[in-house]
Short mmCIF file of all heavy atoms in Angstrom, two decimals:
data_model
loop_
_atom_site.label_atom_id
_atom_site.label_comp_id
_atom_site.label_asym_id
_atom_site.label_seq_id
_atom_site.Cartn_x
_atom_site.Cartn_y
_atom_site.Cartn_z
N GLY R 202 -10.97 -42.70 15.87
CA GLY R 202 -9.68 -42.04 15.93
C GLY R 202 -8.94 -42.39 17.21
O GLY R 202 -9.51 -42.99 18.12
N HIS R 203 -7.69 -42.03 17.24
CA HIS R 203 -6.88 -42.24 18.44
C HIS R 203 -5.77 -41.21 18.51
O HIS R 203 -5.50 -40.49 17.53
CB HIS R 203 -6.29 -43.66 18.45
CG HIS R 203 -5.26 -43.91 17.40
ND1 HIS R 203 -3.93 -44.10 17.66
CD2 HIS R 203 -5.37 -43.97 16.04
CE1 HIS R 203 -3.27 -44.29 16.53
NE2 HIS R 203 -4.12 -44.22 15.53
N VAL R 204 -5.15 -41.15 19.67
CA VAL R 204 -4.00 -40.26 19.85
C VAL R 204 -2.80 -40.94 19.22
O VAL R 204 -2.33 -41.96 19.72
CB VAL R 204 -3.74 -40.00 21.35
CG1 VAL R 204 -2.53 -39.08 21.53
CG2 VAL R 204 -4.98 -39.40 22.01
N ALA R 205 -2.31 -40.40 18.13
CA ALA R 205 -1.20 -41.05 17.43
C ALA R 205 0.14 -40.69 18.05
O ALA R 205 1.11 -41.45 17.94
CB ALA R 205 -1.23 -40.67 15.96
N SER R 206 0.20 -39.52 18.67
CA SER R 206 1.43 -39.15 19.38
C SER R 206 1.16 -38.00 20.33
O SER R 206 0.23 -37.21 20.13
CB SER R 206 2.55 -38.76 18.40
OG SER R 206 2.30 -37.50 17.83
N VAL R 207 1.98 -37.95 21.35
CA VAL R 207 2.04 -36.78 22.24
C VAL R 207 3.52 -36.49 22.42
O VAL R 207 4.28 -37.39 22.80
CB VAL R 207 1.38 -37.05 23.60
CG1 VAL R 207 1.76 -35.96 24.61
CG2 VAL R 207 -0.14 -37.11 23.46
N GLY R 208 3.93 -35.28 22.14
CA GLY R 208 5.36 -34.98 22.20
C GLY R 208 6.11 -35.98 21.33
O GLY R 208 5.78 -36.16 20.15
N ALA R 209 7.08 -36.65 21.92
CA ALA R 209 7.91 -37.58 21.15
C ALA R 209 7.41 -39.03 21.24
O ALA R 209 8.01 -39.93 20.67
CB ALA R 209 9.35 -37.51 21.65
N VAL R 210 6.31 -39.26 21.96
CA VAL R 210 5.81 -40.63 22.14
C VAL R 210 4.78 -40.98 21.08
O VAL R 210 3.79 -40.26 20.91
CB VAL R 210 5.17 -40.79 23.54
CG1 VAL R 210 4.81 -42.25 23.78
CG2 VAL R 210 6.07 -40.23 24.63
N ASN R 211 5.00 -42.08 20.39
CA ASN R 211 4.11 -42.46 19.30
C ASN R 211 3.28 -43.69 19.62
O ASN R 211 3.79 -44.67 20.16
CB ASN R 211 4.93 -42.78 18.05
CG ASN R 211 5.67 -41.56 17.56
OD1 ASN R 211 5.08 -40.49 17.42
ND2 ASN R 211 6.97 -41.71 17.33
N ASP R 212 2.02 -43.65 19.26
CA ASP R 212 1.16 -44.83 19.29
C ASP R 212 1.40 -45.62 18.00
O ASP R 212 2.01 -45.11 17.05
CB ASP R 212 -0.31 -44.38 19.37
CG ASP R 212 -1.25 -45.54 19.67
OD1 ASP R 212 -0.78 -46.61 20.14
OD2 ASP R 212 -2.47 -45.38 19.45
N ASP R 213 0.92 -46.86 17.94
CA ASP R 213 0.89 -47.57 16.66
C ASP R 213 -0.09 -46.84 15.74
O ASP R 213 -0.99 -46.14 16.21
CB ASP R 213 0.38 -49.00 16.87
CG ASP R 213 1.30 -49.79 17.80
OD1 ASP R 213 2.46 -49.37 17.99
OD2 ASP R 213 0.83 -50.81 18.36
N LEU R 214 0.09 -47.04 14.45
CA LEU R 214 -0.84 -46.40 13.51
C LEU R 214 -1.90 -47.40 13.04
O LEU R 214 -1.74 -48.61 13.21
CB LEU R 214 -0.08 -45.84 12.31
CG LEU R 214 0.89 -44.69 12.64
CD1 LEU R 214 1.50 -44.13 11.36
CD2 LEU R 214 0.19 -43.56 13.41
N PHE R 215 -2.99 -46.88 12.50
CA PHE R 215 -4.00 -47.75 11.91
C PHE R 215 -3.36 -48.56 10.78
O PHE R 215 -2.63 -48.01 9.95
CB PHE R 215 -5.15 -46.94 11.32
CG PHE R 215 -6.10 -46.39 12.35
CD1 PHE R 215 -6.57 -45.08 12.26
CD2 PHE R 215 -6.59 -47.18 13.39
CE1 PHE R 215 -7.48 -44.57 13.19
CE2 PHE R 215 -7.49 -46.69 14.32
CZ PHE R 215 -7.93 -45.37 14.22
#
Side-chain angles (χ1 to χ4, degrees):
Chain R
H203 68 111
V204 179
S206 73
V207 166
V210 187
N211 297 311
D212 190 17
D213 299 341
L214 295 185
F215 283 136

